[in-house]
Structures are given as structure tokens and as C-alpha cells.
Amino acid sequence: MQKRIVVIGAGFAGMWSALAAARLLDQHDVSCDEIEVVMIAPEPMLVVRPRLYEDVPGKMAVPLLGLFDATGIRFVAGTVDRIDTVAREVGIVSPSGESRATLSYDGLVLASGSRLVRPDIPGLLEHTFSIDQIEEAVELDQHLHALVQQPKSEARNTVVVAGGGFTGIEIAAELPSRLRRILGPAASVRVIVVEKAADIGPDLGPGPRPVIETALSELGVECRLGVSAARFDAQGVVLSNGERIDAQTVVWTAGVRASNLTQQLPAERDRLGRVLVEDDLRVPSLAEVFATGDTACAATDDEGHTTMMSCQHALEMGRFAGNNVAATLLGQPTLPYRQTRYGTGLDLGPWGAVHTTGWDRQIIMQGAESKARKQWVNSIYIYPPLADRTTAFEAADPLGKRGGK
Ligand SMILES: Cc1cc2nc3c(=O)[nH]c(=O)nc-3n(C[C@H](O)[C@H](O)[C@H](O)COP(=O)(O)OP(=O)(O)OC[C@H]3O[C@@H](n4cnc5c(N)ncnc54)[C@H](O)[C@@H]3O)c2cc1C
């Protein structure tokens, strides 16, 4: 009887999981009639989330059907809303929401990613934009372009970015020039970052901070540190210290949490809702279930470091999870996931970028050179492989030679 590997989610981790599973089956001359790989996601598209702070966010999605056809992966359009680990099946809601289906599995990879957290702050849901999902980034972009039709005012030309972490810094650095392209080169624009912590980029640590501070200051981005957004309304935001900022645009960027589907697995989770997985990315106590990318927290080395919710880790974790779910069905040994090199590349808009290495984030590159590297990563390195079976399988090898390892 045909067996089935189901991968939930067509993001970085899911795409590489499906390819790596198909690759290992191919290497063992196992046909799709014996074990099929099925990818379930709302759309057969890879949304390049790390680029959603850029201009024209609607372009940041890459079609995947050609790649899936070339590698024998079956795509099912829908959203998984139920995982039954006893019956070994998932419940799927069709894209229109009108019909439901059930699909059984012999091996499962959960790769449904993460979502921006929207805490219960008055007015947040009604009056803030975000760049977490592609449709949200497009909505912000359309709103920015519509500002030019509004009567001139300081509030029209002001954007508040709530959250001064990685994403908040990247969009804030981009916004002054983006606003001037829309409102005119002479427009007096204000971009203000509001960050609860005493420092900008609190999770990035002190290493890259001087560069971030210099870049934001030279770009004219203001920072309000040690205060949080207390209330949002149609005219702007009120901060925890009582200050009111009039702004027609507020972008919420603070906090991300793993997909809710992680709660359906009988497993321990961390404070971000990620499943604590074993070395081979298996969910403890579920021999045939793996979690990967933003849904999983895994050790990256033997020194106590664990994965971040990042593309850098999702790409590699995907390759290992897919390989290992297929290995389990084939009765082959699984591979322990390890990714000892760690680095960050933060875009700082027209100022450039900053790259760091190591968990203490020592700066290795900044300015224009760093920007060129960031653009290469964003527009080439993280994109899917060619829709060609040989190329795709070569790239899906978890032990292949790549810069990020
Ligand atoms: C603005 C922004 C900038 C970023 N910048 C960087 C950066 O510079 N560097 C970096 O390393 N990381 C960055 N990240 C983080 C990075 O994008 C994520 O860590 C990465 O996308 C995680 O990959 P993933 O495959 O686990 O999840 P995702 O990319 O979130 O993909 C999840 C997939 O699952 C699907 N899905 C979700 N729920 C279901 C369901 N119930 N049923 C079926 N399918 C489902 C989704 O449609 C999607 O296809 C950034 C993120 C954002 C938002």
C-alpha cells in the first residue's frame, strides 16, 4: 500500500523539507507510487518574508508548482486546522473555506511557521499596519501610496514603528526614502521607532548597536526608548509616558509566535510556542512526526545554542527534517541537525547594512559592502532552486556544501 509523507507549510522550512524528503526517496529508488510526498499550504508560493519591509512587497512571492512537478511532490491547496497524532491524519480546510478533507500520513513534517503577536493594546487591531504576512505588507504599501491624496499635514508625513527589534529597524531605515518617493523629494517626513527596552535592537545585543544608532540617526529616524505604545487611535499613538504622536501610519512589529498548530502536538513548547525537538528534529514521543523552521526549537551545536526564528535556520532545518522523515519511513538512520555557524545581516536602508558573526554578534562588515551582501542573500541565496530535478535534489542535500553551515 502506498505510504504518505505530509509536509504542512510552503515556507522556507516546508519547501526544503518536501524537496529533501523527495531527494532521499529518489536516492533509494522509491517511487511516488510507493511513498508520496504531499505539501499542504494555502497557496503553492514561497513568500519571501524577510523582504516584506522592502518596496513593492506584492512581488515577494515565488511560484512553486513547477519545482514540485519537477521533483514529484504533490501539492494540496488548503489550511490544516487539525492534527490527529493518534489516527495519523490531518484535517484540511479548502482555500475558499467551503469544504473540508482529511488526509492520512505515515510521516509528518510541521512547517507552518510563525505569526506576529498582537497583544491586547487598545486600538492595535483597528489602527496599526504590519509587514508579517504578504497581504499585510501590501496593505501597508497601498496605504502609503494613498497618503499623497490626503491633505498635507505633519501626521500624514509621520510613521510610527512600534517595536525596535530586527524587523522594526529594517522597516524604519527603509521608510524615510520610501515616503519621499511617494510624497515628493522635498517632503519633510518623520519616522519614529518606539521601543520598550532601554536600547534599540535589544535582542541583537551590544555588538552591532553603535552602527545601528549611527545609521538611524543619519537617516533621520527618531527613537523613543524605554517607553511602549499604550493606545492607538485613528490619529496616532499615545505612549506609556503620556506623549502623544500624531501619525496617519503606525506599523506594529513587536513579537512573533509559532503557528497555533504546535499546540496540537503532545509536546513541550518554549515561550515562543515552538516545539522542543530532538537532535534529528523529531517531536519527542512521536516517532513519525518532525517539526521544523519557526515551529521548532532545536540545538544548533553542543554549546547550548538553539535555533532562532530565522530564515537562516529554517532553510537548514527544513533539509534535515525532510531527510529524516523519509529516512524514518525507509528504516534508515536519521541525521542530527547541526548548524554551528551563526551570523546576522541587518538592512539599514540607503545607509547600507551591518553583518555580524557569532552568537556575541561581532561586526564583520558594514555600509555599502554589507548592503551588497544582504541584497545577494535576499534576492538569490534564500530563493528556491531551479525547477530542475537534479539541481533541486542537489540543493536539498542536508549535508551539502553551503555557506550557511
Ligand atoms: C519582515 C520580516 C523580516 C525578516 N527578516 C529576516 C532576516 O533578515 N533574516 C532571517 O533569517 N529571517 C528573517 N525573518 C524571519 C523569517 O522570515 C522566518 O524565520 C522564516 O520565514 C521562517 O520560515 P518557516 O518556513 O518556518 O515559516 P514561514 O516562512 O512563515 O512559512 C510558513 C508556511 O506555512 C503555511 N501555513 C501556515 N499555517 C498553515 C496551516 N495551518 N496549514 C497549512 N499551511 C500553513 C504558510 O502559508 C507558509 O507557506 C523575517 C521575517 C519578517 C516577517
Side-chain angles (χ1 to χ4, degrees):
M1 209 176 97
Q2 187 195 40
K3 291 190 173 176
R4 182 178 297 131
I5 291 170
V6 168
V7 178
I8 305 174
F12 298 99
M15 177 193 71
W16 284 111
S17 290
L19 290 173
R23 170 190 168 272
L24 196 72
L25 297 175
D26 182 71
Q27 279 200 335
H28 285 81
D29 289 324
V30 174
S31 73
C32 305
D33 296 334
E34 294 165 88
I35 304 180
E36 69 165 351
V37 179
V38 178
M39 154 73 69
I40 309 171
E43 282 188 306
M45 302 283 251
L46 174 78
V47 173
V48 188
R49 285 178 77 196
R51 297 190 68 178
L52 293 181
Y53 65 92
E54 290 184 37
D55 235 353
V56 205
K59 282 200 325 200
M60 304 308 176
V62 190
L64 293 175
L65 272 188
L67 179 62
F68 291 160
D69 283 350
T71 49
I73 295 163
R74 179 158 76 93
F75 180 76
V76 172
T79 301
V80 171
D81 68 347
R82 184 176 60 84
I83 303 175
D84 184 335
T85 55
V86 177
R88 293 189 185 177
E89 61 182 33
V90 296
I92 308 165
V93 182
S94 67
S96 67
E98 281 165 9
S99 60
R100 296 193 52 86
T102 297
L103 197 66
S104 62
Y105 65 77
D106 299 282
L108 179 70
V109 179
L110 179 63
S112 47
S114 57
R115 284 270 173 170
L116 180 69
V117 179
R118 292 180 171 83
D120 192 15
I121 300 175
L124 189 147
L125 288 182
E126 306 90 302
H127 301 295
T128 65
F129 292 90
S130 69
I131 53 167
D132 185 58
Q133 304 292 316
I134 194 163
E135 54 281 1
E136 298 166 1
V138 168
E139 193 188 354
L140 169 66
D141 193 49
Q142 287 168 347
H143 164 84
L144 292 175
H145 279 89
L147 285 174
V148 75
Q149 272 114 46
Q150 300 285 322
K152 283 184 188 164
S153 71
E154 204 176 311
R156 184 197 72 162
N157 291 16
T158 302
V159 179
V160 172
V161 176
F166 199 103
T167 304
I169 294 168
E170 289 199 324
I171 181 84
E174 196 70 30
L175 276 168
S177 55
R178 204 162 149 190
L179 282 171
R180 279 191 208 100
R181 278 197 294 278
I182 294 167
L183 299 174
S188 152
V189 303
R190 276 183 93 193
V191 176
I192 305 165
V193 178
V194 175
E195 167 55 50
K196 190 164 68 171
D199 296 301
I200 191 77
D203 294 341
L204 289 165
R209 191 161 298 135
V211 174
I212 297 169
E213 287 169 347
T214 302
L216 292 182
S217 152
E218 288 181 14
L219 290 165
V221 174
E222 300 168 43
C223 294
R224 300 281 195 279
L225 303 174
V227 283
S228 47
R231 198 171 71 239
F232 302 97
D233 56 46
Q235 280 78 44
V237 53
V238 177
L239 307 184
S240 53
N241 62 1
E243 182 188 0
R244 176 174 184 89
I245 306 174
D246 288 331
Q248 282 190 18
T249 314
V250 179
V251 187
W252 176 257
T253 69
V256 180
R257 209 177 154 73
S259 147
N260 283 341
L261 286 180
T262 56
Q263 292 167 25
Q264 298 198 23
L265 298 179
E268 202 183 331
R269 291 176 293 274
D270 71 359
R271 66 183 177 84
L272 300 172
R274 300 181 301 173
V275 177
L276 303 181
V277 290
E278 292 176 356
D279 266 3
D280 59 1
L281 308 185
R282 193 188 304 260
V283 176
S285 82
L286 293 173
E288 69 292 342
V289 182
F290 294 75
T292 191
D294 281 2
T295 67
C297 174
T300 57
D301 56 29
D302 298 323
E303 289 159 28
H305 298 115
T306 53
T307 49
M308 306 282 288
M309 282 186 166
S310 71
C311 208
Q312 171 178 188
H313 287 141
L315 296 163
E316 285 300 291
M317 292 171 85
R319 292 177 174 106
F320 279 85
N323 180 84
N324 289 347
V325 72
T328 303
L329 262 65
L330 293 169
Q332 298 288 320
T334 57
L335 296 171
Y337 160 77
R338 281 293 180 267
Q339 193 170 356
T340 50
R341 269 171 58 179
Y342 174 69
T344 56
L346 180 73
D347 200 341
L348 293 168
W351 186 90
V354 59
H355 273 85
T356 69
T357 187
W359 289 93
D360 57 350
R361 298 189 181 86
Q362 294 300 311
I363 295 173
I364 48 164
M365 214 189 282
Q366 58 180 288
E369 188 192 6
S370 175
K371 180 81 173 191
R373 184 172 169 78
K374 175 80 179 176
Q375 282 171 337
W376 174 78
V377 168
N378 266 7
S379 58
I380 295 174
Y381 184 72
I382 61 176
Y383 272 61
L386 286 180
D388 162 75
R389 196 175 171 89
T390 310
T391 314
F393 284 164
E394 212 174 285
D397 180 357
L399 300 179
K401 226 169 142 44
R402 274 178 301 276
K405 290 177 64 191

